[in-house]
Amino acid sequence: MSRVLLFLPLIAGALYFIYTIFKYTRMISNIFLGLVYTPDLEPVSPPAGEPLTILDSTGKEIEALYLEKKGSKKVVIFCPESGASKETWEKYAYFLPQEGFQILSVDFSDAAKDEKNALSQWPSQAEVERLLLVIRWAKNALGRDIRIVLFGISKGANIAFAASFRDPTVKAVIADGLFSMKEIFRDYIRKWAPILVRPNFFGERFPGWIVNLFTDLGFWYCQKQCKKKFLDVESMLNKKHAPLFMIHGEFDDYIPPSHQRFLEKISPKKRSVRRLVVPKAGHNEAVMLGRHAYESEIASFLSGL
């Protein structure tokens, strides 16, 4: 009997720990799932490019725009931000036809509408598959020797980067507003844990291992709740990858400087990553507030391929 009494505190502690993990994993995940990103989209003028439709294996249509450049053996496949249409390619990639690139801009909006419990601001594996189909179409339609560059904005940047691992035809990725869902999770845990956790044994600063534990659990729980597989940019950056050009704004509220520096440090081969930070620019504002640097740095990056 005395032995049972001796182990009671340990048993109670273990049960409380399990309860705490379940409680706070669900709580922080619900906060995360409740986030809504509403981009400030400008009206789009009639775009350059020919509308076309690509069919996937189930017969669903993928809408795209194609701007041909006679004699060119290189193409930029453009992936817009969450909520934006294929027509927005001109806002970011307007100068690339002058650099000798054809343009193929993909619309992801229909894919998000089709999925149950879709959280359109978070990039998913299903959208990567959609982009891979477009890449295969480009190789068949434009020639097997076509050189492909992926250019993505925010969510589209994540999709483009993920797709580059699946097809060796992709020569490089331009990622304007690349982010890590897990780092966003960490930011929210650091913000809300001191307020929500009771009893709070750690004050305002929680140990890194606790933040990482609940980040991994929350990432898993969100996927389970949504029945979607989200993209883990951090694990991808840790692998050998195609040349990557990351672009961020200095005053980005969604991807703050600490988040940007975190992404830059992950890649084991620094020479495969190039970075541009535009002063005073917010989320997806680099092209507007640093137009000259935006054009020249991207053109320089692509010239070395």
Side-chain angles (χ1 to χ4, degrees), residues 224-265:
K224 184 175 181 293
Q225 288 293 100
C226 298
K227 297 180 175 61
K228 293 174 68 173
K229 186 175 182 180
F230 295 128
L231 303 183
D232 185 354
V233 165
E234 295 176 21
S235 67
M236 291 187 283
L237 281 169
N238 267 307
K239 301 174 183 176
K240 183 180 179 181
H241 55 74
L244 172 66
F245 188 27
M246 289 195 295
I247 304 170
H248 290 105
E250 180 186 17
F251 294 152
D252 193 330
D253 292 335
Y254 299 98
I255 312 166
S258 60
H259 189 147
Q260 298 172 26
R261 291 191 295 270
F262 173 76
L263 294 178
E264 186 180 23
K265 290 177 181 177

Short mmCIF file of all heavy atoms in Angstrom, two decimals, residues 224-265:
data_model
loop_
_atom_site.label_atom_id
_atom_site.label_comp_id
_atom_site.label_asym_id
_atom_site.label_seq_id
_atom_site.Cartn_x
_atom_site.Cartn_y
_atom_site.Cartn_z
N LYS A 224 -4.88 17.17 -39.07
CA LYS A 224 -5.89 16.17 -38.74
C LYS A 224 -7.29 16.77 -38.78
O LYS A 224 -8.23 16.17 -39.31
CB LYS A 224 -5.59 15.58 -37.36
CG LYS A 224 -6.51 14.45 -36.92
CD LYS A 224 -6.03 13.88 -35.59
CE LYS A 224 -6.92 12.73 -35.13
NZ LYS A 224 -8.28 13.16 -34.79
N GLN A 225 -7.43 17.97 -38.23
CA GLN A 225 -8.73 18.63 -38.19
C GLN A 225 -9.22 19.02 -39.59
O GLN A 225 -10.41 18.92 -39.89
CB GLN A 225 -8.65 19.90 -37.32
CG GLN A 225 -8.55 19.62 -35.83
CD GLN A 225 -9.82 18.98 -35.28
OE1 GLN A 225 -9.88 17.77 -35.09
NE2 GLN A 225 -10.82 19.80 -35.04
N CYS A 226 -8.30 19.47 -40.42
CA CYS A 226 -8.67 19.96 -41.75
C CYS A 226 -8.69 18.87 -42.81
O CYS A 226 -9.15 19.11 -43.93
CB CYS A 226 -7.69 21.06 -42.20
SG CYS A 226 -7.70 22.49 -41.13
N LYS A 227 -8.11 17.72 -42.45
CA LYS A 227 -7.97 16.63 -43.43
C LYS A 227 -7.18 17.10 -44.65
O LYS A 227 -7.50 16.78 -45.80
CB LYS A 227 -9.34 16.09 -43.84
CG LYS A 227 -10.11 15.46 -42.70
CD LYS A 227 -11.46 14.93 -43.16
CE LYS A 227 -12.18 14.20 -42.06
NZ LYS A 227 -12.48 15.03 -40.89
N LYS A 228 -6.14 17.89 -44.38
CA LYS A 228 -5.25 18.38 -45.42
C LYS A 228 -3.81 18.20 -44.97
O LYS A 228 -3.53 18.19 -43.76
CB LYS A 228 -5.49 19.87 -45.68
CG LYS A 228 -6.83 20.20 -46.30
CD LYS A 228 -7.05 21.70 -46.39
CE LYS A 228 -6.12 22.36 -47.37
NZ LYS A 228 -6.45 23.79 -47.56
N LYS A 229 -2.92 18.05 -45.92
CA LYS A 229 -1.50 17.99 -45.61
C LYS A 229 -0.85 19.32 -45.99
O LYS A 229 -0.78 19.68 -47.16
CB LYS A 229 -0.82 16.84 -46.37
CG LYS A 229 0.63 16.65 -45.96
CD LYS A 229 1.25 15.43 -46.62
CE LYS A 229 2.69 15.26 -46.14
NZ LYS A 229 3.34 14.08 -46.77
N PHE A 230 -0.42 20.05 -44.96
CA PHE A 230 0.21 21.34 -45.19
C PHE A 230 1.69 21.16 -45.49
O PHE A 230 2.27 20.10 -45.26
CB PHE A 230 0.03 22.24 -43.97
CG PHE A 230 -1.39 22.62 -43.69
CD1 PHE A 230 -1.95 22.43 -42.44
CD2 PHE A 230 -2.19 23.17 -44.69
CE1 PHE A 230 -3.27 22.77 -42.17
CE2 PHE A 230 -3.51 23.51 -44.44
CZ PHE A 230 -4.05 23.32 -43.17
N LEU A 231 2.31 22.22 -45.99
CA LEU A 231 3.72 22.17 -46.39
C LEU A 231 4.62 22.58 -45.24
O LEU A 231 4.38 23.60 -44.58
CB LEU A 231 3.95 23.09 -47.59
CG LEU A 231 3.09 22.81 -48.82
CD1 LEU A 231 3.48 23.76 -49.96
CD2 LEU A 231 3.23 21.36 -49.28
N ASP A 232 5.66 21.79 -45.03
CA ASP A 232 6.66 22.08 -44.00
C ASP A 232 7.89 22.67 -44.69
O ASP A 232 8.80 21.96 -45.11
CB ASP A 232 7.01 20.79 -43.25
CG ASP A 232 7.96 21.04 -42.08
OD1 ASP A 232 8.42 22.19 -41.92
OD2 ASP A 232 8.25 20.09 -41.34
N VAL A 233 7.93 23.99 -44.80
CA VAL A 233 9.01 24.68 -45.50
C VAL A 233 10.36 24.45 -44.81
O VAL A 233 11.40 24.35 -45.46
CB VAL A 233 8.70 26.19 -45.61
CG1 VAL A 233 9.94 26.99 -45.99
CG2 VAL A 233 7.60 26.41 -46.64
N GLU A 234 10.33 24.34 -43.49
CA GLU A 234 11.58 24.17 -42.75
C GLU A 234 12.30 22.88 -43.13
O GLU A 234 13.52 22.86 -43.34
CB GLU A 234 11.31 24.20 -41.25
CG GLU A 234 10.80 25.55 -40.78
CD GLU A 234 10.43 25.55 -39.30
OE1 GLU A 234 10.93 24.67 -38.56
OE2 GLU A 234 9.65 26.42 -38.90
N SER A 235 11.55 21.79 -43.23
CA SER A 235 12.17 20.52 -43.62
C SER A 235 12.69 20.58 -45.04
O SER A 235 13.73 19.98 -45.37
CB SER A 235 11.17 19.36 -43.46
OG SER A 235 10.11 19.49 -44.39
N MET A 236 12.02 21.34 -45.91
CA MET A 236 12.48 21.47 -47.30
C MET A 236 13.76 22.29 -47.38
O MET A 236 14.68 21.97 -48.14
CB MET A 236 11.38 22.10 -48.16
CG MET A 236 10.18 21.18 -48.37
SD MET A 236 8.98 21.85 -49.54
CE MET A 236 8.15 23.08 -48.55
N LEU A 237 13.84 23.36 -46.59
CA LEU A 237 15.04 24.19 -46.61
C LEU A 237 16.25 23.43 -46.09
O LEU A 237 17.40 23.76 -46.43
CB LEU A 237 14.81 25.46 -45.77
CG LEU A 237 14.00 26.58 -46.44
CD1 LEU A 237 13.63 27.63 -45.43
CD2 LEU A 237 14.77 27.20 -47.60
N ASN A 238 16.02 22.43 -45.27
CA ASN A 238 17.11 21.63 -44.72
C ASN A 238 17.68 20.65 -45.73
O ASN A 238 18.73 20.05 -45.50
CB ASN A 238 16.63 20.85 -43.50
CG ASN A 238 16.91 21.61 -42.21
OD1 ASN A 238 18.03 22.03 -41.96
ND2 ASN A 238 15.87 21.81 -41.41
N LYS A 239 16.98 20.47 -46.87
CA LYS A 239 17.43 19.53 -47.89
C LYS A 239 18.15 20.28 -49.01
O LYS A 239 18.06 21.49 -49.14
CB LYS A 239 16.22 18.77 -48.47
CG LYS A 239 15.42 17.98 -47.46
CD LYS A 239 14.18 17.39 -48.11
CE LYS A 239 13.30 16.66 -47.11
NZ LYS A 239 12.04 16.16 -47.72
N LYS A 240 18.84 19.53 -49.83
CA LYS A 240 19.43 20.10 -51.03
C LYS A 240 18.30 20.54 -51.95
O LYS A 240 17.37 19.77 -52.21
CB LYS A 240 20.31 19.06 -51.73
CG LYS A 240 21.02 19.60 -52.97
CD LYS A 240 21.87 18.53 -53.61
CE LYS A 240 22.55 19.06 -54.86
NZ LYS A 240 23.38 18.03 -55.53
N HIS A 241 18.36 21.78 -52.44
CA HIS A 241 17.25 22.29 -53.25
C HIS A 241 17.77 23.12 -54.41
O HIS A 241 18.95 23.48 -54.49
CB HIS A 241 16.29 23.11 -52.38
CG HIS A 241 16.95 24.23 -51.63
ND1 HIS A 241 17.37 25.39 -52.23
CD2 HIS A 241 17.26 24.37 -50.31
CE1 HIS A 241 17.90 26.20 -51.32
NE2 HIS A 241 17.86 25.60 -50.16
N ALA A 242 16.87 23.43 -55.32
CA ALA A 242 17.19 24.27 -56.47
C ALA A 242 17.57 25.67 -55.99
O ALA A 242 17.19 26.08 -54.89
CB ALA A 242 15.99 24.34 -57.41
N PRO A 243 18.33 26.42 -56.80
CA PRO A 243 18.64 27.81 -56.43
C PRO A 243 17.37 28.57 -56.06
O PRO A 243 16.37 28.53 -56.78
CB PRO A 243 19.29 28.36 -57.70
CG PRO A 243 19.91 27.18 -58.36
CD PRO A 243 18.96 26.04 -58.08
N LEU A 244 17.43 29.25 -54.94
CA LEU A 244 16.25 29.90 -54.36
C LEU A 244 16.54 31.38 -54.13
O LEU A 244 17.55 31.73 -53.51
CB LEU A 244 15.87 29.23 -53.04
CG LEU A 244 14.79 29.88 -52.19
CD1 LEU A 244 13.43 29.82 -52.90
CD2 LEU A 244 14.69 29.19 -50.83
N PHE A 245 15.65 32.23 -54.62
CA PHE A 245 15.76 33.67 -54.38
C PHE A 245 14.59 34.09 -53.50
O PHE A 245 13.44 34.11 -53.93
CB PHE A 245 15.74 34.43 -55.71
CG PHE A 245 16.03 35.90 -55.57
CD1 PHE A 245 16.80 36.39 -54.53
CD2 PHE A 245 15.55 36.80 -56.51
CE1 PHE A 245 17.08 37.75 -54.42
CE2 PHE A 245 15.82 38.15 -56.42
CZ PHE A 245 16.59 38.63 -55.37
N MET A 246 14.88 34.41 -52.23
CA MET A 246 13.84 34.83 -51.29
C MET A 246 13.76 36.35 -51.26
O MET A 246 14.77 37.04 -51.13
CB MET A 246 14.15 34.30 -49.88
CG MET A 246 13.99 32.82 -49.72
SD MET A 246 13.94 32.30 -47.96
CE MET A 246 15.58 32.73 -47.41
N ILE A 247 12.53 36.86 -51.34
CA ILE A 247 12.28 38.30 -51.29
C ILE A 247 11.32 38.59 -50.14
O ILE A 247 10.28 37.92 -50.00
CB ILE A 247 11.66 38.79 -52.61
CG1 ILE A 247 12.57 38.43 -53.80
CG2 ILE A 247 11.40 40.29 -52.57
CD1 ILE A 247 11.93 38.65 -55.16
N HIS A 248 11.67 39.57 -49.32
CA HIS A 248 10.80 39.96 -48.20
C HIS A 248 10.79 41.49 -48.05
O HIS A 248 11.68 42.17 -48.56
CB HIS A 248 11.28 39.34 -46.88
CG HIS A 248 11.09 37.87 -46.80
ND1 HIS A 248 12.12 36.96 -46.93
CD2 HIS A 248 9.97 37.11 -46.62
CE1 HIS A 248 11.67 35.72 -46.83
NE2 HIS A 248 10.36 35.79 -46.63
N GLY A 249 9.78 41.96 -47.37
CA GLY A 249 9.70 43.38 -47.02
C GLY A 249 10.23 43.61 -45.62
O GLY A 249 10.02 42.79 -44.72
N GLU A 250 10.91 44.72 -45.42
CA GLU A 250 11.50 45.03 -44.11
C GLU A 250 10.45 45.12 -43.01
O GLU A 250 10.68 44.69 -41.89
CB GLU A 250 12.26 46.35 -44.21
CG GLU A 250 12.92 46.78 -42.91
CD GLU A 250 13.54 48.17 -42.99
OE1 GLU A 250 13.19 48.94 -43.93
OE2 GLU A 250 14.37 48.49 -42.12
N PHE A 251 9.27 45.65 -43.33
CA PHE A 251 8.22 45.86 -42.33
C PHE A 251 7.04 44.91 -42.56
O PHE A 251 5.88 45.29 -42.39
CB PHE A 251 7.74 47.31 -42.36
CG PHE A 251 8.79 48.30 -41.94
CD1 PHE A 251 8.77 49.59 -42.43
CD2 PHE A 251 9.81 47.93 -41.08
CE1 PHE A 251 9.74 50.51 -42.05
CE2 PHE A 251 10.78 48.84 -40.69
CZ PHE A 251 10.76 50.13 -41.17
N ASP A 252 7.32 43.68 -42.95
CA ASP A 252 6.27 42.69 -43.18
C ASP A 252 5.64 42.27 -41.86
O ASP A 252 6.32 41.72 -40.99
CB ASP A 252 6.88 41.47 -43.89
CG ASP A 252 5.82 40.53 -44.46
OD1 ASP A 252 4.72 40.45 -43.87
OD2 ASP A 252 6.10 39.86 -45.46
N ASP A 253 4.34 42.53 -41.69
CA ASP A 253 3.64 42.15 -40.46
C ASP A 253 3.40 40.65 -40.38
O ASP A 253 3.27 40.10 -39.28
CB ASP A 253 2.28 42.87 -40.38
CG ASP A 253 2.45 44.36 -40.18
OD1 ASP A 253 3.50 44.78 -39.66
OD2 ASP A 253 1.54 45.13 -40.58
N TYR A 254 3.29 39.98 -41.51
CA TYR A 254 3.00 38.55 -41.52
C TYR A 254 4.27 37.72 -41.37
O TYR A 254 4.26 36.65 -40.77
CB TYR A 254 2.28 38.17 -42.83
CG TYR A 254 0.96 38.87 -43.02
CD1 TYR A 254 0.85 40.01 -43.80
CD2 TYR A 254 -0.20 38.41 -42.38
CE1 TYR A 254 -0.36 40.66 -43.97
CE2 TYR A 254 -1.40 39.05 -42.54
CZ TYR A 254 -1.48 40.18 -43.33
OH TYR A 254 -2.68 40.83 -43.48
N ILE A 255 5.35 38.21 -41.96
CA ILE A 255 6.63 37.51 -41.90
C ILE A 255 7.66 38.50 -41.35
O ILE A 255 8.41 39.13 -42.11
CB ILE A 255 7.06 36.99 -43.29
CG1 ILE A 255 5.89 36.28 -43.97
CG2 ILE A 255 8.26 36.06 -43.18
CD1 ILE A 255 6.10 36.03 -45.43
N PRO A 256 7.70 38.71 -40.04
CA PRO A 256 8.57 39.73 -39.46
C PRO A 256 10.06 39.40 -39.66
O PRO A 256 10.41 38.27 -40.03
CB PRO A 256 8.19 39.71 -37.98
CG PRO A 256 7.59 38.37 -37.75
CD PRO A 256 6.92 37.99 -39.03
N PRO A 257 10.94 40.36 -39.41
CA PRO A 257 12.38 40.15 -39.62
C PRO A 257 12.94 38.91 -38.93
O PRO A 257 13.79 38.22 -39.50
CB PRO A 257 13.00 41.43 -39.06
CG PRO A 257 11.95 42.47 -39.29
CD PRO A 257 10.65 41.77 -39.05
N SER A 258 12.47 38.60 -37.73
CA SER A 258 12.96 37.40 -37.03
C SER A 258 12.61 36.13 -37.80
O SER A 258 13.41 35.19 -37.87
CB SER A 258 12.37 37.34 -35.61
OG SER A 258 10.94 37.29 -35.66
N HIS A 259 11.43 36.11 -38.38
CA HIS A 259 10.98 34.97 -39.20
C HIS A 259 11.84 34.87 -40.47
O HIS A 259 12.28 33.78 -40.87
CB HIS A 259 9.51 35.19 -39.56
CG HIS A 259 8.85 34.02 -40.20
ND1 HIS A 259 7.52 33.72 -40.02
CD2 HIS A 259 9.29 33.07 -41.06
CE1 HIS A 259 7.19 32.65 -40.71
NE2 HIS A 259 8.26 32.24 -41.37
N GLN A 260 12.12 36.00 -41.08
CA GLN A 260 12.92 36.03 -42.30
C GLN A 260 14.34 35.51 -42.03
O GLN A 260 14.88 34.71 -42.80
CB GLN A 260 12.98 37.45 -42.85
CG GLN A 260 11.62 38.01 -43.25
CD GLN A 260 11.70 39.48 -43.61
OE1 GLN A 260 12.75 39.99 -44.03
NE2 GLN A 260 10.59 40.21 -43.46
N ARG A 261 14.95 35.98 -40.94
CA ARG A 261 16.31 35.55 -40.61
C ARG A 261 16.34 34.06 -40.28
O ARG A 261 17.30 33.36 -40.61
CB ARG A 261 16.84 36.36 -39.43
CG ARG A 261 17.13 37.82 -39.77
CD ARG A 261 17.89 38.49 -38.66
NE ARG A 261 17.11 38.57 -37.43
CZ ARG A 261 16.32 39.57 -37.10
NH1 ARG A 261 16.20 40.62 -37.92
NH2 ARG A 261 15.64 39.59 -35.96
N PHE A 262 15.28 33.57 -39.64
CA PHE A 262 15.18 32.16 -39.32
C PHE A 262 15.21 31.31 -40.59
O PHE A 262 15.92 30.31 -40.67
CB PHE A 262 13.88 31.91 -38.54
CG PHE A 262 13.57 30.47 -38.28
CD1 PHE A 262 14.24 29.76 -37.30
CD2 PHE A 262 12.60 29.82 -39.04
CE1 PHE A 262 13.95 28.42 -37.08
CE2 PHE A 262 12.30 28.48 -38.82
CZ PHE A 262 12.99 27.79 -37.83
N LEU A 263 14.46 31.72 -41.60
CA LEU A 263 14.43 30.98 -42.87
C LEU A 263 15.79 31.00 -43.55
O LEU A 263 16.24 30.00 -44.10
CB LEU A 263 13.38 31.57 -43.80
CG LEU A 263 11.91 31.45 -43.38
CD1 LEU A 263 11.01 32.14 -44.40
CD2 LEU A 263 11.49 30.00 -43.23
N GLU A 264 16.44 32.15 -43.50
CA GLU A 264 17.73 32.29 -44.18
C GLU A 264 18.79 31.37 -43.57
O GLU A 264 19.66 30.85 -44.28
CB GLU A 264 18.20 33.73 -44.11
CG GLU A 264 19.46 34.00 -44.92
CD GLU A 264 19.90 35.45 -44.83
OE1 GLU A 264 19.54 36.12 -43.85
OE2 GLU A 264 20.62 35.90 -45.73
N LYS A 265 18.73 31.15 -42.27
CA LYS A 265 19.75 30.37 -41.57
C LYS A 265 19.58 28.86 -41.75
O LYS A 265 20.52 28.11 -41.51
CB LYS A 265 19.73 30.70 -40.08
CG LYS A 265 20.22 32.10 -39.76
CD LYS A 265 20.11 32.38 -38.26
CE LYS A 265 20.57 33.80 -37.94
NZ LYS A 265 20.39 34.11 -36.50
#
